[in-house]
């Protein structure tokens, strides 16, 4: 699955979700992104019976820990869910050697990665499409193409179809 074009803004997708059924108030949890080169993961679940899970796995180098946030929300009918992972201060000063955001219980309809998150008067700055890839279940760096800057990931996913 290719990364979405810039012509599909997140706001339009969220508006469509809202029209299909109100989006629940997202739950936001803070966590530390730790440098040092080791691979770390952070996961949260949402929905009835924790139906959906979003896991952020990464390795980074740099100065000190940074506080990041993960927000999860579902549509009122629980058929869609969103996972947003970001640094609230807008820009991360860590050098990411890898990243992957994975979803369980759903298939990704929209996924985007940003080198800089919106902060004050600044806007989100998306990664170039060749730096990351979007599949049915993950948004991840592309080895050799990713330029080590990451500050935000956004995923909108739809409930996985269950076979009868």
């Amino acid at each position: 699955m290719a990364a979405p074009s810039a012509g599909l803004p997140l706001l339009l997708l969220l508006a469509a979700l809202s029209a299909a059924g109100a989006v629940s108030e997202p739950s936001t949890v803070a966590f530390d992104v730790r440098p040092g080169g080791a691979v770390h993961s952070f996961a949260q679940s949402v929905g009835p019976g924790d139906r959906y899970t979003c896991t952020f796995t990464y390795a980074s180098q740099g100065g000190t820990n940074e506080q990041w946030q993960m927000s999860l929300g579902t549509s009122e009918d629980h058929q869609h869910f969103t996972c947003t992972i970001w640094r609230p201060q807008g820009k991360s000063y860590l050098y990411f050697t890898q990243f992957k955001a994975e979803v369980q219980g759903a298939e990704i309809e929209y996924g985007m990665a940003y080198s800089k998150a919106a902060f004050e008067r600044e806007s989100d700055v998306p990664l170039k499409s060749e730096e990351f890839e979007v599949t049915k279940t993950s948004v991840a760096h592309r080895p050799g193409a990713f330029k080590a800057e990451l500050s935000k990931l956004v995923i909108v996913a739809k409930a996985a179809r269950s076979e009868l």
Side-chain angles (χ1 to χ4, degrees):
M1 177 185 293
S5 70
L8 178 63
L10 179 60
L11 291 177
L12 288 178
L13 191 56
L14 291 176
L17 285 177
S18 294
V23 176
S24 69
E25 187 67 31
S27 72
T28 301
V29 178
F31 67 100
D32 280 340
V33 170
R34 301 179 302 245
V39 175
H40 299 281
S41 288
F42 181 80
Q44 289 291 296
S45 297
V46 69
D50 287 339
R51 177 178 184 180
Y52 305 116
T53 300
C54 185
T55 303
F56 177 52
T57 303
Y58 67 91
S60 67
Q61 297 283 0
T64 61
N65 292 355
E66 290 181 348
Q67 185 138 108
W68 282 51
Q69 294 184 349
M70 180 184 283
S71 289
L72 299 175
T74 64
S75 60
E76 205 166 88
D77 65 3
H78 301 293
Q79 294 304 300
H80 286 87
F81 97 103
T82 61
C83 175
T84 305
I85 303 156
W86 82 101
R87 181 155 199 268
Q89 289 78 13
K91 175 130 178 76
S92 173
Y93 295 98
L94 297 175
Y95 175 90
F96 283 83
T97 55
Q98 62 178 303
F99 75 85
K100 185 176 198 177
E102 294 178 277
V103 298
Q104 291 177 315
E107 291 184 356
I108 295 174
E109 291 189 326
Y110 174 87
M112 188 53 116
Y114 300 88
S115 61
K116 187 174 181 183
F119 182 69
E120 294 179 349
R121 295 183 191 190
E122 304 283 323
S123 298
D124 288 337
V125 177
L127 293 182
K128 292 180 180 171
S129 60
E130 61 268 13
E131 290 185 75
F132 69 104
E133 63 184 347
V134 180
T135 68
K136 288 183 179 182
T137 59
S138 71
V139 176
H141 77 287
R142 280 205 176 125
F146 175 54
K147 295 186 175 44
E149 292 184 81
L150 182 69
S151 292
K152 184 177 182 180
L153 291 163
V154 175
I155 294 173
V156 177
K158 186 175 182 177
R161 295 189 178 123
S162 56
E163 299 297 322
L164 297 178

